[in-house]
Amino acid sequence: MGNNPFHGILPKSLGNLSTSVEHFEADHCGIKGIILNEIGNLSNLIKLDIGSNELTEIIPDTLCQLRKLQRLTLGVNKLWGQYPSIFAMWYISYNSMTSTIPSTLWNNEEIHILSLAHTLLNGSLVPEIGNIKSIRRLYLSGNRFSSDIPSTIGQLQNLENLTLSNNRLHGPIPESFGNMISLKILDLSKNKLNGVIPSSMEKLEYLEYFNVSFNELIGEIPNEGPFKNFTPDIFIGNRELCGASQFKVKTCEDNTTRISNKTRVSKYILPSILIVIILAITMIYLMRCYSGKTLLPALTTSPITIKKISYYEVLDATKKFGEENSIGKGNVGSV
């Protein structure tokens, strides 16, 4: 009955339909009102599609009675409230659920496609997400998830499409992403992810689309495997990324430059700093001794007094600071 301008409500008599009904589709019909409890009587439903209507209020728990349901579409309505704690949903995108995902959802072994995009869900992505191993498409974009991405997500080796964009996810991209060997689409854009892009992802030979723009990633962009075909726009908004010129980011500092810098520091800069420190300590010590008219520590039992020496005497004694009397040179001058 989809795509017809009914613009009415679902009648309660809907629950009186034969229990042999397996498919009920009434999407894009302008249906108002609520989702009826009576739908739970259709115990043999395999597919229920009442998406893209004007349904309001909460999702009734009676839908949990539909044990044979394989596909549910409730997306693009005006539903709100708590997520049913024991029901494994599929398409409820573009609603206002404003709650967390119950951990029991991830124990459902029958789900192949799950769309919870743009439903204002919050909380964390829990490690149990790795249990839903049959999943092929997982849409969680446009919510308020604020946690790390659990490394257990790498156990989803059948997953082909994963969208986590437009959330508040932070922490690194798990190294285990390289284990999702079936992945074709991965969107992590517009989060707060940091750290590097794991080089393990170079093994994802089927990865066609990848987006990490507008995060806080750093380090070198991998350039093997699927990364050879990626364009610069999927990396923008990460100030500290570097890599090949094709990505239009700054060039990474190579090993030769790092070794050169390390050699320069150890050979020139550190000795100069050491000389300056020694001179400073010596000058402070002498000034304290002179200003207080104290005695230098005796090398013998007889005290040795400080003698005031003029600049001209020093000039004469060093033969006008001649090279033969030079101890060494630093950044601030000769000694």
Side-chain angles (χ1 to χ4, degrees):
M1 299 187 294
N3 295 289
N4 283 289
F6 292 135
H7 299 292
I9 63 172
L10 293 173
K12 289 188 177 183
S13 58
L14 181 65
N16 297 329
L17 290 175
S18 171
T19 55
S20 63
V21 174
E22 296 180 347
H23 294 253
F24 183 86
E25 300 180 34
D27 58 299
H28 296 86
C29 292
I31 298 174
K32 300 178 174 61
I34 64 173
I35 299 176
L36 300 171
N37 288 323
E38 286 75 8
I39 291 182
N41 297 338
L42 306 179
S43 57
N44 279 297
L45 271 184
I46 295 175
K47 179 179 180 180
L48 174 60
D49 185 352
I50 45 177
S52 299
N53 283 294
E54 299 178 30
L55 295 167
T56 59
E57 298 192 26
I58 63 175
I59 300 171
D61 287 336
T62 54
L63 292 189
C64 303
Q65 300 171 15
L66 305 177
R67 298 296 182 182
K68 296 184 178 180
L69 196 65
Q70 296 180 12
R71 178 162 180 161
L72 171 68
T73 302
L74 301 176
V76 196
N77 276 290
K78 299 177 182 178
L79 301 170
W80 55 271
Q82 297 293 311
Y83 188 99
S85 59
I86 59 172
F87 190 67
M89 295 190 184
W90 290 53
Y91 289 96
I92 61 168
S93 301
Y94 294 93
N95 284 290
S96 300
M97 302 307 295
T98 61
S99 64
T100 60
I101 298 177
S103 59
T104 53
L105 170 65
W106 307 117
N107 295 325
N108 189 299
E109 298 180 357
E110 303 300 325
I111 296 180
H112 291 269
I113 303 173
L114 176 62
S115 177
L116 303 175
H118 301 277
T119 53
L120 303 182
L121 293 168
N122 53 54
S124 303
L125 295 180
V126 295
E128 287 81 0
I129 195 172
N131 296 340
I132 191 168
K133 292 184 172 59
S134 60
I135 192 78
R136 294 186 178 276
R137 300 179 191 174
L138 179 57
Y139 306 99
L140 298 175
S141 59
N143 285 293
R144 298 174 180 174
F145 296 119
S146 56
S147 67
D148 291 358
I149 301 175
S151 60
T152 53
I153 201 169
Q155 299 172 15
L156 306 180
Q157 296 192 357
N158 292 315
L159 192 62
E160 299 175 357
N161 189 326
L162 174 62
T163 60
L164 297 172
S165 59
N166 287 277
N167 277 287
R168 302 170 185 174
L169 297 169
H170 50 76
I173 300 174
E175 191 77 23
S176 62
F177 267 46
N179 298 331
M180 292 192 285
I181 55 176
S182 300
L183 207 57
K184 296 180 180 179
I185 297 174
L186 175 60
D187 192 347
L188 304 173
S189 62
K190 298 180 181 178
N191 280 287
K192 297 181 180 180
L193 298 172
N194 52 47
V196 301
I197 300 173
S199 58
S200 63
M201 295 180 64
E202 292 178 336
K203 299 183 297 183
L204 301 178
E205 57 180 306
Y206 299 112
L207 191 62
E208 301 171 353
Y209 177 80
F210 176 60
N211 195 340
V212 289
S213 60
F214 301 102
N215 278 284
E216 299 171 8
L217 298 172
I218 63 173
E220 185 172 5
I221 299 172
N223 53 19
E224 297 296 327
F227 288 86
K228 294 178 180 179
N229 303 318
F230 292 153
T231 54
D233 55 300
I234 66 174
F235 300 107
I236 62 173
N238 295 277
R239 296 183 180 179
E240 299 302 321
L241 282 178
C242 64
S245 58
Q246 71 185 72
F247 300 133
K248 297 184 179 179
V249 293
K250 62 183 180 182
T251 304
C252 295
E253 187 179 28
D254 59 27
N255 290 333
T256 303
T257 305
R258 284 195 293 270
I259 293 172
S260 176
N261 288 341
K262 186 175 180 180
T263 302
R264 185 166 62 251
V265 169
S266 61
K267 186 175 181 180
Y268 300 105
I269 299 177
L270 289 180
S272 300
I273 293 175
L274 185 60
I275 291 174
V276 171
I277 292 173
I278 293 173
L279 285 175
I281 294 173
T282 303
M283 291 175 65
I284 292 172
Y285 178 72
L286 291 175
M287 289 174 65
R288 288 181 62 187
C289 291
Y290 177 72
S291 61
K293 296 182 180 179
T294 58
L295 300 177
L296 285 170
L299 297 177
T300 65
T301 55
S302 302
I304 300 174
T305 58
I306 297 293
K307 178 182 178 182
K308 186 175 182 179
I309 301 174
S310 70
Y311 168 77
Y312 297 102
E313 289 178 285
V314 175
L315 195 66
D316 181 62
T318 60
K319 296 182 181 179
K320 297 183 178 180
F321 301 107
E323 286 291 332
E324 66 272 18
N325 294 311
S326 174
I327 294 176
K329 294 182 179 180
N331 286 347
V332 297
S334 302
V335 182

